[in-house]
Amino acid sequence: IALRTGALPRFSLGATFYGRLTVIYLLTALIPLVALSYFVTRFSTRELDRDLVTDGLRSLQTVRRMVDDYLEVTQNVEEADLDDDVVFWLSKVIRQEITLFVDGRRVATSTPELFSAGLVNERLDGRVHRAIFLGREAYDLTSPRPDALTLSAPLAVDREGTIGVIALSLAAHRRAVTLKTMAVRDAILISTCLTVLLLAVVGWLVA
């Protein structure tokens, strides 16, 4: 009948004035909550990512100091280069996987089994080489896999001052950051749902 007479059905927010008022009240309160949840989540994610990089740089400085001390203490010792055993010990100190590259090739690592199994490339990533040696960057962040994050930086690897590249795996730290981000999102979602439920109950009682 509505189509025959040319009239279109009207959209109604509620059957009564108080019902429409309750719906408008809920929508008005919900939109700012959703916007706030979005911005808080984005802000928390950026802050956690910044903390991740800060922790990586702090570990990098620790390794540099320890390598300098090691090279100074062993200056009168032959065959005192940075090998897998030394790098493994360093990785235990900072609790992160470490790999050293010289001239683009791996010379030492705390996880030789990964390289032996062919799971990790033996050569330095070309992007990292360009950023550090050509771009003169202090460090470079790469993500070779979705679940991996690597911080690479120049490092003097011997007493002659040969500059290599040290790569720190931040995968464990990244997983921790991901869990914290998910926890923040869950808390915001629960808070939003509870607030909307409370507003609905109050609106229904008032109506």
Coordinates of all heavy atoms in Angstrom, one line a residue, residues 72 82 154 189:
E72 N 89.7 -5.7 24.8 CA 90.8 -5.1 25.6 C 91.5 -6.1 26.5 O 92.7 -6.1 26.6 CB 90.3 -3.9 26.4 CG 91.3 -3.2 27.2 CD 90.8 -2.0 28.0 OE1 89.6 -1.7 27.8 OE2 91.6 -1.4 28.7
L82 N 85.8 -12.8 18.1 CA 84.4 -13.0 18.5 C 83.9 -14.2 17.8 O 83.6 -14.2 16.6 CB 83.6 -11.8 18.2 CG 84.0 -10.5 19.0 CD1 83.1 -9.3 18.5 CD2 83.8 -10.7 20.5
P154 N 76.1 -1.0 13.4 CA 77.6 -1.2 13.2 C 78.3 -1.6 14.6 O 77.8 -1.1 15.6 CB 78.1 0.1 12.7 CG 77.1 1.1 13.1 CD 75.7 0.4 13.2
L189 N 37.8 -2.9 25.3 CA 36.5 -3.4 24.8 C 35.6 -3.8 25.9 O 34.4 -3.5 25.9 CB 36.9 -4.7 24.0 CG 35.7 -5.4 23.4 CD1 34.9 -4.5 22.5 CD2 36.1 -6.7 22.7

